[in-house]
Amino acid sequence: MSLRIVVTVKYVPDATGDRHFADDLTVDRDDVDGLLSELDEYAVEQALQISENSDDDVEITVLTVGPEDAKDALRKALSMGADKAIHVEDDDLHGTDVIGTSLVLAKAIEKAGYDLVISGLASTDGTMGVVPALLAERLGVPQVTLLSEVSVEGGTVKGRRDGDAASEQLEASLPAVVSVTDQSGEARYPSFKGIMAAKKKPVESWDLSDLDLEAGEVGLEGAWTKVDSATERPARTAGTIVKDEGEGGKQLAEFLAGQKFI
Amino acid sequence: MAEVLVYVDHVDGSVRKPTLELLTLARRIGEPVAVALGAGAENTAAALAEHGAVKVLTHDASEYADYLVVPKVDALQAAVESVSPAAVLVPSSAEGKEIAARLALRIGSGIITDATDLEAGDEGPVATQSVFAASFTTKSRVSKGVAVITVKPNSAAVEAAPAAGAVESLSVSFSAQATGTKVTGRTPRESTGRPELTEAAIVVSGGRGVNGAENFALIEALADSLGAAVGASRAAVDAGWYPHTNQVGQTGKSVSPQLYIANGISGAIQHRAGMQTSKTIVAVNKDAEAPIFDLVDYGVVGDLFDVVPQLTEEINTRKG
Ligand SMILES: Cc1cc2nc3c(=O)[nH]c(=O)nc-3n(C[C@H](O)[C@H](O)[C@H](O)COP(=O)(O)OP(=O)(O)OC[C@H]3O[C@@H](n4cnc5c(N)ncnc54)[C@H](O)[C@@H]3O)c2cc1C
Ligand SMILES: Cc1cc2nc3c(=O)[nH]c(=O)nc-3n(C[C@H](O)[C@H](O)[C@H](O)COP(=O)(O)OP(=O)(O)OC[C@H]3O[C@@H](n4cnc5c(N)ncnc54)[C@H](O)[C@@H]3O)c2cc1C
């Protein structure tokens, strides 16, 4: 038996950098350093753990849809221990919305072949948290999402989903789409050996024609949503800051009373 | 007037506040028609009618509790087909977003998530989003199909607007995918008696500075004096001092209360992502250089073990 896992990883602008929009209201990716979305490291980690706990042959492919630099995200995932990588890159992808992104990802996953897809709970830029559900819908397989615990055994994936009202145990047959939260377990750091090995691992590049997609189905033109404006939030006006010299709590109460909170 | 579908988030018939907010927003763009699913769905009608639902479509089946997400998508799709709405509004919970996304794809529509405001526009509803840890505000719209929009809690004030709220039962046939993901067990969360974190008007949070699970009693006492919900930073959650369900931030809950009080929290970008849209922000931190002070309306540089108990006592005294 063998198990083919595809992990979707996104290349995102560093959240600690000065993120902003370009003139066409898409994210400016040139001015800010990019990296593998930290939340996708948890997805790579769970793929590696499933592999380590399995008696089957497991092959882990990491997949990204993004510009040239997105290879950095793939390299990071490979150096953590994934086996190979696929980079979907095409100038016509610029400005793709979530429906389009899920289309490209689903086509690439089908072409790669899979038994299990693992995603992060959300990207750290768009933060929509819907790509895994969209992939399940497109691929026509079960969605087992937002797991803080996941295991695979004998063609079945099981996991725990911690929701607002309840904690649920979930179960589905493979093939399936899983997403994991940052509660699923700390992601490992790439070792020196891992970093060296990653340089030799295969990275395939596909464009839209490899996926039988037309330019008009993706990109700004193909987007089903439109951003009309993006404005920087004005800096908050400086507040009052007091040093506690024994009355700090009382002063704060006075402020809260003034604002009618008490 | 065009109809607007509102997906109802309820627990055994008791409607949660974000749904009532959606009804208020829905009235700006059309006539609200509510969709309530699962056990107790019919009992939601009175509250929904009180807040403007002209019609309440209900359906109950064991599938809603026994399988994940897809049965609800099937039902919402049936509602879209029976009503032909101008827009579909869904509360922005983790599940709400998943339901909305699958629905959008099925009906050939774009989707906008986590809107913080909504208004009517010439080319359909215009949604406000607060992005990049609330450093930018965007206005967007769905340009293809029926606008499917998820809306964050606390995005509108709940307004009463009595309407007919006629209950109609929705007819739903489940898709082949509906039973794909089984819910094999469910442990309900114990109620703390405090308000729901994302819905609360006031949130009192503790971070690494609280320095121990036992010290969270101080934070809870302050919260209780104000009738507030309790939040925590990821550092406090990772240390095991408070449950993950109370985490505020990028990978926790995003909150937007009238008042947010951060105690012993430095204000890292990922924490700010979840609280920066709070109306009034207050912090207690012993480090005058902590980045949280850049956000505050009022800050106290001091030891939380001195300031917080004094504040709680003063509030309780003032309340008499
Ligand atoms: C600030 C902002 C707001 C946006 N708002 C909207 C909107 O309202 N509507 C809309 O349609 N689009 C929107 N977009 C665009 C949308 O975010 C992107 O199309 C994106 O690729 C998919 O959504 P996400 O990044 O939010 O992913 P999420 O759904 O949050 O990501 C979940 C997981 O999906 C996988 N994944 C996501 N993108 C990729 C990728 N490119 N390659 C590989 N794996 C991936 C990862 O495993 C990730 O952890 C927005 C983008 C930004 C930056
Ligand atoms: C992908 C990713 C997602 C993340 N998601 C989240 C998230 O959702 N939520 C979140 O909160 N974080 C998140 N983080 C973590 C975040 O980066 C910070 O590490 C975290 O917010 C720090 O928590 P803190 O402010 O409690 O701790 P610290 O940064 O250690 O700050 C503690 C503060 O307490 C003060 N202090 C100490 N003792 C006292 C005292 N006696 N009295 C008063 N003040 C005192 C200190 O001066 C300090 O400012 C995420 C990180 C990553 C990488």
Side-chain angles (χ1 to χ4, degrees):
Chain A
M1 283 271 289
S2 74
L3 183 72
R4 295 161 303 168
I5 304 179
V6 177
V7 185
T8 57
V9 298
K10 190 176 185 187
Y11 180 73
V12 298
D14 187 345
T16 59
D18 177 22
R19 295 180 293 180
H20 52 266
F21 289 86
D23 291 342
D24 65 354
L25 300 179
T26 62
V27 179
D28 187 329
R29 294 178 193 277
D30 295 332
D31 277 9
V32 192
D33 287 339
L35 43 75
L36 167 61
S37 174
E38 284 146 318
L39 297 173
D40 292 343
E41 292 182 15
Y42 295 91
V44 176
E45 176 63 34
Q46 287 310 309
L48 294 169
Q49 289 195 20
I50 288 168
S51 169
E52 285 157 7
N53 295 333
S54 172
D55 302 328
D56 300 337
D57 274 347
V58 180
E59 184 188 56
I60 302 171
T61 304
V62 287
L63 164 67
T64 197
V65 174
E68 156 113 51
D69 295 347
K71 281 198 179 61
D72 292 355
L74 295 175
R75 285 283 167 220
K76 171 94 188 262
L78 290 172
S79 63
M80 287 173 73
D83 300 305
K84 62 186 186 81
I86 298 169
H87 183 193
V88 182
E89 186 189 1
D90 198 308
D91 288 345
D92 289 325
L93 284 167
H94 175 81
T96 308
D97 68 355
V98 75
I99 296 283
T101 299
S102 69
L103 173 66
V104 179
L105 284 171
K107 287 271 190 184
I109 290 164
E110 273 171 337
K111 185 174 159 100
Y114 72 102
D115 301 296
L116 183 63
V117 177
I118 308 185
S119 301
L121 83 137
S123 71
T124 58
D125 60 344
T127 66
M128 295 182 73
V130 299
V131 165
L134 289 171
L135 290 179
E137 179 73 31
R138 287 199 184 270
L139 297 168
V141 302
Q143 84 166 68
V144 198
T145 46
L146 298 171
L147 303 182
S148 42
E149 227 174 66
V150 59
S151 64
V152 174
E153 222 185 289
T156 302
V157 51
K158 292 186 186 175
R160 192 182 81 234
R161 172 170 165 126
D162 294 320
D164 279 348
S167 176
E168 293 168 329
Q169 299 291 334
L170 304 178
E171 193 177 309
S173 305
L174 299 183
V177 176
V178 158
S179 73
V180 298
T181 74
D182 59 331
Q183 299 292 299
S184 59
E186 222 28 66
R188 69 194 64 189
Y189 286 106
S191 63
F192 179 69
K193 215 173 119 213
I195 294 168
M196 296 315 287
K199 299 198 162 127
K200 299 199 190 81
K201 291 178 181 173
V203 179
E204 275 189 63
S205 271
W206 293 347
D207 62 15
L208 289 177
S209 67
D210 291 312
L211 301 175
D212 295 323
L213 288 169
E214 304 283 334
E217 293 178 81
V218 296
L220 264 185
E221 201 190 319
W224 295 4
T225 48
K226 172 130 187 14
V227 182
D228 287 329
S229 69
T231 43
E232 193 156 5
R233 197 182 164 89
R236 285 185 95 101
T237 45
T240 309
I241 295 181
V242 300
K243 194 168 177 329
D244 177 35
E245 273 154 358
E247 300 282 295
K250 287 188 182 154
Q251 286 167 290
L252 183 45
E254 189 58 38
F255 170 78
L256 295 179
Q259 303 284 314
K260 308 256 184 301
F261 288 117
I262 308 176
Chain B
M1 200 152 63
E3 285 162 317
V4 176
L5 277 189
V6 171
Y7 178 82
V8 178
D9 185 6
H10 71 98
V11 181
D12 292 326
S14 123
V15 180
R16 294 180 57 180
K17 187 166 149 256
T19 301
L20 303 179
E21 295 167 11
L22 287 197
L23 290 171
T24 301
L25 292 173
R27 290 203 308 276
R28 296 186 191 163
I29 48 182
E31 285 197 322
V33 172
V35 182
L37 306 172
E42 292 193 2
N43 301 335
T44 61
L48 297 171
E50 164 82 24
H51 292 89
V54 295
K55 209 162 32 174
V56 181
L57 305 175
T58 64
H59 187 249
D60 188 17
S62 57
E63 276 83 351
Y64 298 122
D66 295 347
Y67 300 93
L68 195 71
V69 173
V70 189
K72 293 169 181 164
V73 182
D74 290 340
L76 205 49
Q77 185 181 11
V80 169
E81 280 158 10
S82 80
V83 173
S84 302
V88 181
L89 307 183
V90 182
S92 260
S93 60
E95 187 189 44
K97 291 204 274 187
E98 292 183 332
I99 294 171
R102 297 187 72 138
L103 174 79
L105 184 57
R106 281 192 194 178
I107 64 176
S109 292
I111 174 168
I112 290 172
T113 57
D114 294 324
T116 57
D117 200 4
L118 208 59
E119 62 215 336
D122 296 339
E123 294 162 285
V126 177
T128 304
Q129 284 169 295
S130 178
V131 306
F132 291 158
S135 58
F136 276 84
T137 303
T138 60
K139 299 228 184 233
S140 316
R141 61 200 155 77
V142 169
S143 50
K144 182 167 180 288
V146 178
V148 177
I149 301 173
T150 78
V151 182
K152 277 202 195 185
N154 282 331
S155 293
V158 172
E159 289 165 12
V167 180
E168 273 178 35
S169 77
L170 183 67
S171 115
V172 181
S173 50
F174 292 115
S175 64
Q177 272 79 45
T179 54
T181 308
K182 252 187 256 152
V183 179
T184 56
R186 179 177 284 120
T187 319
R189 223 162 272 301
E190 268 175 50
S191 163
T192 59
R194 297 194 178 88
E196 183 69 33
L197 186 56
T198 53
E199 301 171 16
I202 302 179
V203 174
V204 176
S205 286
R208 202 194 306 270
V210 175
N211 201 24
E214 64 288 356
N215 300 333
F216 256 87
L218 287 181
I219 304 298
E220 289 181 331
L222 173 57
D224 292 343
S225 74
L226 291 162
V230 177
S233 74
R234 174 153 153 190
V237 167
D238 282 354
W241 303 340
Y242 224 66
H244 175 63
T245 37
N246 296 69
Q247 182 177 316
V248 171
Q250 186 186 56
T251 54
K253 301 273 165 57
S254 99
V255 300
S256 195
Q258 295 300 318
L259 171 65
Y260 187 83
I261 308 183
N263 302 285
I265 293 177
S266 62
I269 182 86
Q270 297 89 355
H271 187 79
R272 278 155 52 174
M275 47 67 74
Q276 199 156 351
T277 54
S278 305
K279 308 295 174 296
T280 300
I281 298 175
V282 168
V284 178
N285 194 307
K286 66 180 183 190
D287 175 10
E289 304 295 316
I292 191 86
F293 285 125
D294 297 342
L295 299 181
V296 298
D297 296 287
Y298 197 93
V300 180
V301 179
D303 192 322
L304 72 90
F305 292 97
D306 299 327
V307 178
V308 170
Q310 189 182 65
L311 171 61
T312 309
E313 196 188 311
E314 184 68 19
I315 293 168
N316 287 331
T317 312
R318 282 174 188 246
K319 284 196 311 192

